[in-house]
Amino acid sequence: MSDGISDDAEDVVGVLTERIEARFGMDMDQLKAAVAAAPMANPAATDVVRWYGLLVEAQSVLDRAENDLLTALETQPNDVDDPTMGLAHRVNAAVTARDGRAMVVRWLLEPDAPGKKDLAAERLALLRPRTGPAVQTSAPHQPAGTPAPASAWRAGRPTR
């Protein structure tokens, strides 16, 4: 892999953990706690923590798949049977998932990554969840004794 990350599974998560901790100036447990307490305070941190969690989960799935494959291979004679080949495919899929999630975490950590400062970035910003409604959803408060404004229909004016 590029970016100084080797193909060793433990290195992928370890190196990215170090980069995250350096970027946000706190260890992962502190960062997770901060994001849980105020997820909208730093959307970048929230995204990184979310994808880091997905990365760790994918690494765990990969570790289990590799262990299952090694166990099956230890009991195999020279030829590999179909169930063992299925386990090998499961390992390949788990590696792909882990690597994809690692790529997202690296992209999130890189401030000058492609797509962060162009039209694509603007479109991505539009997809962010809003903190509140885009328009007012309730009638404005009127002081007691103030009559409600008459609609055009009630006022006898034509409507368009």
Side-chain angles (χ1 to χ4, degrees):
M1 273 185 205
S2 60
D3 296 343
I5 297 177
S6 74
D7 288 330
D8 184 3
E10 300 306 317
D11 285 344
V12 172
V13 175
V15 168
L16 288 174
T17 301
E18 290 173 7
R19 288 184 183 179
I20 292 168
E21 291 173 348
R23 163 91 187 276
F24 294 101
M26 58 182 78
D27 69 26
M28 281 306 299
D29 291 334
Q30 292 172 327
L31 184 59
K32 288 177 187 177
V35 165
M40 297 309 294
N42 187 339
T46 301
D47 287 343
V48 168
V49 167
R50 176 177 174 261
W51 281 97
Y52 178 81
L54 293 172
L55 171 63
V56 170
E57 177 185 312
Q59 182 61 54
S60 176
V61 169
L62 174 58
D63 291 342
R64 285 191 307 273
E66 287 176 332
N67 289 338
D68 292 347
L69 178 59
L70 288 174
T71 301
L73 287 173
E74 288 172 355
T75 63
Q76 292 287 309
N78 294 336
D79 294 334
V80 175
D81 61 10
D82 288 340
T84 305
M85 192 55 115
L87 291 173
H89 290 302
R90 198 172 104 203
V91 168
N92 284 338
V95 167
T96 301
R98 191 267 327 263
D99 289 351
R101 291 171 182 183
M103 287 172 51
V104 171
V105 171
R106 282 195 310 262
W107 184 83
L108 290 170
L109 292 173
E110 181 59 44
D112 297 325
K116 286 195 169 181
K117 295 184 177 187
D118 56 7
L119 182 59
E122 292 175 23
R123 289 181 180 160
L124 182 62
L126 293 174
L127 296 176
R128 283 225 173 265
R130 297 179 188 267
T131 58
V135 295
Q136 186 172 356
T137 58
S138 60
H141 176 72
Q142 294 185 3
T146 305
S151 68
W153 178 289
R154 286 190 204 146
R157 292 186 296 239
T159 58
R160 294 184 193 207

